[in-house]
Structure formats: C-alpha cells, structure tokens
Amino acid sequence: FSSLFSFLLSLLLFIEYILVSTFINFPGILLSSKNDEKKSFLCNLSVPQAKALYHSLVINGYIADKTKEEHFMTMAGLVNMPPQMIKWTSTMYALVYFVARVFSDTNSDVWYLTTLWFNMDGRDELNRETLKSKRSYIFRNMDRFDSMRKELDKIIDESLK
C-alpha cells in the first residue's frame, strides 16, 4: 500500500511539474502553445499605468477594441499568458512613435520585438528594417508629425501619472 501511495504521489508531482513548467513562465519570456519562445517588451510601466495606457489606446482608436487588456499586459511583460498579437489600427508612423516613446529606452532590439507583438491592416508580419527607417524619418521630420506626436504624447503622459 505504501509503495502504491509513493508511486501515485510521485506521479502527481511529476504531472504538476509538467503543468507548471508549461503554463507559468519566467518574467519577460512567454511560451506559446507551440512552445515557441516569444520575448515580451521590458518596460518601466506599473500595472496601473499599463492598464491606463491600454484603455486610452483603445478609446482613441490606436489598437483594436477586440484586444484584451491581458494581451496588452502580456506584451508589456507584466502578465504571463500565452502571447497574442496586438492589432494596431492607426498608422505605422503612429506605431513607430508609440513604441519608440514607451519601449525604446528599455529594449535593445525594440523593432524586432515590435514585429513579434504588433500587426496591422491584416498583415501577418511587420518588417523590422521598415520600422527603423520610419523612426528615423519621423525624428528627422518632427514638424510633419506634430499632430500625431502631440496626441500620443498626451495619451502616454496621462497614463504615466
């Protein structure tokens, strides 16, 4: 009887280990159901700040209203869940400005991460080099993007309060 009990206990512990290692991930690393590693952004946002930013982006039409708060929080590295793409519904210039403003200080390859987490216009994948090029263009021609920049700055700054 005791050997059967020991065997069942060992089996349960092994099953628990498998389940925990599959569904609970280390901060910054998320595992999809296919076990593909997908690194989240590193950010200086607190959970309340990230939630406020998410809601402002949805309300102002920057991300699809079907995007769940948990998916945004996962992308920001604040919640460990299976990754889901964030559908950006504004322009690519707005996406580039947003990502540069919120994530570039804490991520060495911010544009690669952007291609992992964001899509737009039904495209499956964004191009890292295109994103880098657009960032350069925006910052060389800030006056052309004054309205977009001011609106996103307001959304971001109010979320960070």
Side-chain angles (χ1 to χ4, degrees), residues 25-160:
N25 305 299
F26 297 103
I29 302 293
L30 301 170
L31 301 177
S32 72
S33 59
K34 296 179 184 176
N35 289 331
D36 297 326
E37 289 192 12
K38 188 169 190 179
K39 188 175 185 234
S40 63
F41 284 96
L42 299 175
C43 69
N44 293 324
L45 299 172
S46 67
V47 170
Q49 289 172 329
K51 286 182 178 188
L53 183 57
Y54 158 79
H55 288 288
S56 292
L57 291 169
V58 170
I59 289 168
N60 288 285
Y62 285 95
I63 59 176
D65 57 0
K66 293 179 185 177
T67 303
K68 293 182 181 176
E69 181 180 273
E70 297 83 25
H71 298 154
F72 187 82
M73 302 294 283
T74 300
M75 180 258 325
L78 299 170
V79 172
N80 286 325
M81 288 182 56
Q84 294 288 324
M85 295 292 281
I86 307 294
K87 183 175 181 186
W88 188 263
T89 54
S90 186
T91 67
M92 191 177 295
Y93 288 111
L95 172 62
V96 167
Y97 185 79
F98 166 75
V99 169
R101 173 85 199 280
V102 176
F103 299 114
S104 67
D105 289 345
T106 52
N107 295 276
S108 60
D109 199 352
V110 70
W111 306 118
Y112 171 70
L113 292 172
T114 303
T115 66
L116 293 179
W117 286 99
F118 288 96
N119 67 9
M120 53 188 306
D121 301 329
R123 296 183 213 175
D124 287 336
E125 221 173 280
L126 296 173
N127 182 286
R128 177 179 163 197
E129 295 306 315
T130 301
L131 296 169
K132 286 169 69 174
S133 173
K134 292 202 181 293
R135 182 196 185 279
S136 176
Y137 183 77
I138 290 170
F139 286 92
R140 281 192 326 266
N141 300 284
M142 286 295 255
D143 55 321
R144 290 182 151 186
F145 299 98
D146 207 37
S147 155
M148 173 205 70
R149 187 175 52 82
K150 285 180 180 176
E151 184 175 349
L152 278 168
D153 282 345
K154 181 180 176 190
I155 289 168
I156 295 165
D157 291 340
E158 286 179 3
S159 299
L160 297 178

Side-chain angles (χ1 to χ4, degrees), residues 1-33:
F1 176 74
S2 81
S3 63
L4 178 61
F5 179 75
S6 294
F7 172 75
L8 290 175
L9 183 59
S10 298
L11 182 62
L12 285 174
L13 289 173
F14 176 73
I15 291 170
E16 179 185 27
Y17 169 78
I18 297 298
L19 290 174
V20 167
S21 65
T22 302
F23 296 111
I24 298 178
N25 305 299
F26 297 103
I29 302 293
L30 301 170
L31 301 177
S32 72
S33 59

